[in-house]
Amino acid sequence: VRELRSDGPAFDEHPVHWDRLREFIKRGIEGLPQLRDQRIDLFTPILYFASGHEARSLEEQFVGCFLALEKLRYLAAAAGLIRQTNLAAALNDRLRRKVTALIDDEVAEEATREAVREKLPELQRPAFRRSLGELLDRYETTWADLYPPETPLSFVKTRDLLLHTMGPPDLEVL
């Protein structure tokens, strides 16, 4: 036998360790009616997660699972479990006016001013790494559960390489 393949995940590749799986499923099933009553959509993250595992390439698998994680992070923010914005609305408005004035004073070219102003709303959105860290802390999960600690890369760096760069993916990163 030169190679052994399995259609399913390896025993140690489950998102919840096997000794906590029973509690995880029990709590999840008990909470589904309440979530449904609150109009919380768990179908989409489950669909992305399942689709991610059916994809043929590693990068598609990563992106599918990452989309599921993004949706769960959004749901957690909407439910008030983690921070949804960086600043209170009034402080954000004041800061945005000051930064806009500074951009207008310092940047000569109109097209460049517009391009920089377009990024200002993103200042109110917490950075992915920060909000994911809050979510992981809340559920007592470590970064090592998402990415092997012995690698020079991280889950967030891998995401950035896949989504924000050109060229073929480095399969060693995945």
Side-chain angles (χ1 to χ4, degrees), residues 25-94:
I25 292 171
K26 183 176 184 266
R27 290 177 70 186
I29 290 173
E30 289 172 353
L32 284 176
Q34 178 185 1
L35 293 172
R36 194 172 34 246
D37 292 344
Q38 295 173 356
R39 297 181 173 271
I40 295 176
D41 170 30
L42 284 179
F43 177 76
T44 302
I46 291 169
L47 178 67
Y48 287 155
F49 185 78
S51 297
H53 282 82
E54 292 177 355
R56 292 190 182 270
S57 74
L58 284 175
E59 66 184 321
E60 289 174 301
Q61 291 174 13
F62 184 91
V63 170
C65 292
F66 181 81
L67 275 172
L69 184 59
E70 277 277 16
K71 293 295 183 185
L72 291 173
R73 185 179 64 99
Y74 171 78
L75 289 171
L81 301 175
I82 61 173
R83 180 189 332 222
Q84 194 166 16
T85 60
N86 283 325
L87 302 168
L91 179 56
N92 181 63
D93 290 344
R94 274 197 320 273

Side-chain angles (χ1 to χ4, degrees), residues 133-164:
E134 287 180 36
L135 190 59
L136 293 175
D137 289 346
R138 181 169 186 82
Y139 291 102
E140 300 175 2
T141 304
T142 66
W143 286 99
D145 291 336
L146 296 178
Y147 224 86
E150 67 275 0
T151 64
L153 292 165
S154 70
F155 182 72
V156 175
K157 286 181 185 176
T158 301
R159 169 194 161 259
D160 289 346
L161 283 172
L162 282 174
L163 300 179
H164 300 298

